[in-house]
Amino acid sequence: MTIMQKVYWIIATLGNLLAISFVFNHTGMLPSLVLILTLGYTAIGYFDIFYSPHTLNRLYPVVAYLRYFLESYRVEIQQYFIANDTEETPFNREQRSLVYQRAKNVRDTIAFGTQRDLLEDNYLSLWQSLHPKEIDETAKRVQIGGPNCLKPYQASYFNISAMSFGALSANAIESLNLGALKAGCYHNTGEGGVSPYHLKHRGDLVWQIGSGLFGCRDVEGNFNPDAFKAMATKPQVKMIEIKLSQGAKPGHGGVLPKAKITDEIAAIRHIPRDRDCVSPAVNPECTTPKKLLNFVTRLRELSEGKPIGFKLCVGNPVEFLGLCKAMIETGITPDFITVDGAEGGTGAAPVEFSNRLGMMCLEAVYFVHNALIGAGLRDKIKIIASGKTASSFDLLAKIAMGADTVNAARTMMMSLGCIQSRHCNTNMCPTGIATQDPARSKAIDVNAKSERVKNYHKNTLHSFFELVGSMGLDSPEKLQPHMLKRRTPYGLLMSVGSLIEPLQANDLINENQIAGPWNEWWRMAQTEDFYSEDLYILSPAELTRTPSKQALPSK
């Protein structure tokens, strides 16, 4: 027997006898309380030893529950008492504190120097100029809309990324949208469709059309052009985004756990309540590159000329180049491409998909930027980076690598008060943000939280423009990948690059010989099917690349 099994039998026999004797020989509440405790311990322990399905309970009756209790608060204990300011993931204490401080409009400076190890491998930094500049007001917005767009949109450099009503509570959606209105940025609806809470405060919307076609489907789940047009032509909807895949779970459809599906959500999405809402992995209207582009054209016509784009997490590079080839063959280009990073996001995802699939945001943005340049398409298409973004440096890094604007999801939730409890998929969010429990969500004060969203957006952008100016630049458009510096394992600094060479305009369509895998990937790309075999064997760039004297491409 284990020690706790022996303790159990001692208390069950001798302990109960002593407690009974105590009751008969003394008056008051204490003897009765002692007897209740020993009898309760005996009953629970008896069940644990003889009937519990858990080995721990059988070997350590009663006290095993202490482990389960502490384990249920492991994340909070680690977060508040054990982890230092820079070691937690996905967002450490320093990053979360920065978001909270900027959202509350309080001091966000630090004293006594950085806590970061500036010699850490892969640490990113910038070189400042002795002649800092001011960013002109005309350089603080980005126009999205290609040659076939009739209603281009002037976007902020920093926006609210896709988070659906269903994944988030009604009050959280309202707070984000009102915050977007106050901040002058757009609010992506997520694949759950446009809800009344997205429309209530009139903040600019990007309507995301996921593989479930929520909000524009018929009773059989097929695309309904009339339903789409009725929503897409609303003045508040500024752009439409077709979701092909997302960084949290590339290659997997969206998941809304049934615990979070209310009657209202079921009605908005046209789904049943008795099972998880699982969207297909492939958008039924976009099964090949050419079908995707035809769908882009159809949505542009139905929306009366609004910007249409698509979102994806980049995987096999050949498949994205197949899309570029299809654009050249058909003459159809989206107005924007949202590049989602494999760092994940707010959505519930299988562990293996979240941990092991997809390109990280900076790598993917760099690849997409260069692919569009090489295919002669970059001037027609804007790139939106959607990845882990907490600080103005995170924003700057994505712009430097080739993005035109940036979306953020989790840090926008933090501006509402999210504490990174990581209960988003359980309906037990302690802050009322990622839940459909009305008792929890009603604690969100929409007006107060929208102010925090506005403050976080405003203060982050202010810091971003100051950071750009500190480099001697007068516009974020002048940022280049080589301006980011990365610490090598040898302790030296190098300009941030990639496994692949940067391209010059039309390099791919002119069939120029380019070092690295570009030519092979372009040869393998096809326009009639997304799938292409991953055959190219990547080699370490530092062993194969020769220094290039060509100027790096610009956005």
Side-chain angles (χ1 to χ4, degrees):
M1 288 193 295
T2 65
I3 293 177
M4 293 314 303
Q5 285 175 327
K6 293 176 181 177
V7 169
Y8 168 76
W9 288 114
I10 291 172
I11 293 177
T13 54
L14 183 60
N16 280 324
L17 290 174
L18 290 175
I20 292 171
S21 174
F22 193 26
V23 168
F24 280 113
N25 292 303
H26 296 80
T27 58
M29 290 293 296
L30 182 61
S32 299
L33 182 60
V34 171
L35 180 59
I36 290 171
L37 289 174
T38 57
L39 289 175
Y41 182 94
T42 301
I44 295 171
Y46 184 83
F47 172 82
D48 285 349
I49 290 175
F50 294 104
Y51 298 103
S52 176
H54 304 295
T55 303
L56 278 179
N57 292 74
R58 288 176 178 265
L59 295 176
Y60 307 97
V62 184
V63 296
Y65 293 105
L66 180 61
R67 174 190 181 272
Y68 301 138
F69 174 77
L70 293 175
E71 187 179 46
S72 68
Y73 287 96
R74 183 187 65 82
V75 173
E76 288 80 2
I77 291 171
Q78 180 181 4
Q79 183 179 112
Y80 295 126
F81 303 109
I82 298 174
N84 66 33
D85 284 351
T86 61
E87 68 180 6
E88 283 184 275
T89 57
F91 291 87
N92 60 43
R93 171 57 63 180
E94 180 185 76
Q95 292 169 319
R96 297 200 309 276
S97 295
L98 181 65
V99 175
Y100 299 147
Q101 288 160 351
R102 287 180 171 166
K104 295 175 183 177
N105 230 7
V106 299
R107 185 177 64 244
D108 61 357
T109 56
I110 61 172
F112 221 65
T114 180
Q115 296 186 64
R116 298 298 187 103
D117 177 7
L118 302 186
L119 293 176
E120 177 188 9
D121 288 359
N122 294 317
Y123 188 83
L124 295 179
S125 60
L126 303 169
W127 285 351
Q128 82 285 359
S129 169
L130 287 173
H131 186 195
K133 295 182 179 178
E134 292 285 335
I135 306 301
D136 189 78
E137 287 299 319
T138 60
K140 293 184 177 181
R141 305 290 289 188
V142 178
Q143 179 168 297
I144 301 178
N148 296 314
C149 177
L150 302 179
K151 299 177 180 178
Y153 176 67
Q154 297 292 327
S156 169
Y157 271 99
F158 193 36
N159 302 282
I160 301 173
S161 194
M163 292 176 281
S164 301
F165 171 57
L168 268 56
S169 66
N171 280 18
I173 293 293
E174 282 194 44
S175 301
L176 289 171
N177 193 257
L178 183 55
L181 177 69
K182 294 176 178 179
C185 67
Y186 66 69
H187 176 199
N188 192 305
T189 65
E191 69 173 306
V194 182
S195 73
Y197 311 106
H198 288 101
L199 298 170
K200 183 176 179 179
H201 299 286
R202 304 184 309 282
D204 289 352
L205 290 176
V206 175
W207 180 16
Q208 185 182 94
I209 309 296
S211 57
L213 302 174
F214 302 125
C216 56
R217 56 188 255 160
D218 57 25
V219 292
E220 284 81 31
N222 301 311
F223 179 68
N224 184 333
D226 294 330
F228 172 82
K229 183 171 184 177
M231 182 60 70
T233 52
K234 288 183 180 294
Q236 192 176 336
V237 176
K238 303 300 183 181
M239 303 195 295
I240 292 95
E241 177 182 84
I242 304 163
K243 193 190 88 167
L244 302 180
S245 61
Q246 65 184 95
K249 44 184 177 290
H252 196 283
V255 178
L256 180 64
K258 67 178 182 180
K260 298 175 75 171
I261 302 176
T262 63
D263 290 333
E264 184 178 32
I265 292 170
I268 291 172
R269 296 194 180 198
H270 299 106
I271 56 174
R273 284 200 61 189
D274 60 349
R275 64 184 75 99
D276 292 348
C277 175
V278 181
S279 304
V282 178
N283 192 307
E285 299 292 323
C286 310
T287 54
T288 70
K290 288 187 176 179
K291 287 183 179 179
L292 167 61
L293 296 177
N294 289 332
F295 194 49
V296 167
T297 297
R298 190 179 184 193
L299 297 190
R300 188 178 284 134
E301 292 170 352
L302 290 170
S303 66
E304 299 178 355
K306 292 184 178 180
I308 310 293
F310 56 81
K311 169 184 174 178
L312 80 165
C313 177
V314 179
N316 185 351
V318 178
E319 298 182 0
F320 183 82
L321 291 178
L323 263 172
C324 294
K325 272 189 176 180
M327 293 177 203
I328 294 169
E329 289 182 13
T330 62
I332 302 169
T333 54
D335 298 290
F336 65 92
I337 297 174
T338 302
V339 181
D340 208 10
E343 299 92 317
T346 59
V351 173
E352 297 86 352
F353 281 73
S354 188
N355 287 352
R356 303 295 179 180
L357 293 183
M359 280 192 196
M360 292 181 65
C361 190
L362 290 184
E363 295 172 329
V365 165
Y366 182 84
F367 165 75
V368 170
H369 172 59
N370 278 282
L372 294 177
I373 288 172
L377 299 167
R378 186 64 178 91
D379 61 333
K380 300 179 178 69
I381 303 170
K382 290 293 190 288
I383 297 174
I384 302 172
S386 178
K388 183 178 174 182
T389 304
S391 69
S392 59
F393 177 80
D394 299 331
L395 176 58
L396 184 148
K398 293 175 179 63
I399 301 294
M401 292 300 279
D404 294 287
T405 66
V406 174
N407 290 350
R410 288 171 289 181
T411 47
M412 290 296 179
M413 288 171 59
M414 288 178 190
S415 72
L416 296 179
C418 166
I419 60 173
Q420 193 174 269
S421 68
R422 292 184 285 172
H423 293 310
C424 308
N425 60 333
T426 65
N427 208 35
M428 300 292 287
C429 172
T431 58
I433 297 170
T435 180
Q436 294 306 310
D437 181 350
R440 294 170 183 263
S441 62
K442 71 179 182 181
I444 297 176
D445 183 325
V446 172
N447 285 321
K449 296 301 185 183
S450 68
E451 280 294 313
R452 291 194 178 189
V453 173
K454 181 199 74 173
N455 292 338
Y456 172 56
H457 177 272
K458 174 186 174 183
N459 292 326
T460 301
L461 271 186
H462 176 74
S463 176
F464 166 68
F465 292 129
E466 280 195 327
L467 207 55
V468 172
S470 75
M471 299 168 68
L473 306 176
D474 58 11
S475 171
E477 290 186 348
K478 295 182 178 180
L479 289 166
Q480 296 288 330
H482 67 270
M483 295 176 182
L484 286 177
K485 312 301 178 188
R486 187 189 299 275
R487 186 70 64 180
T488 71
Y490 306 103
L492 303 175
L493 282 177
M494 63 174 286
S495 292
V496 169
S498 171
L499 192 64
I500 53 176
E501 292 281 354
L503 298 183
Q504 298 300 304
N506 302 317
D507 269 351
L508 294 174
I509 56 179
N510 291 338
E511 299 184 352
N512 295 334
Q513 287 302 313
I514 310 147
W518 281 113
N519 290 112
E520 184 64 18
W521 284 343
W522 185 251
R523 182 189 64 79
M524 295 171 60
Q526 52 185 333
T527 61
E528 299 296 339
D529 190 1
F530 279 117
Y531 176 74
S532 293
E533 291 184 284
D534 184 5
L535 298 176
Y536 187 86
I537 299 174
L538 295 173
S539 302
E542 61 269 23
L543 300 182
T544 59
R545 180 177 298 175
T546 56
S548 174
K549 295 182 180 179
Q550 292 179 311
L552 290 170
S554 61
K555 292 190 279 293

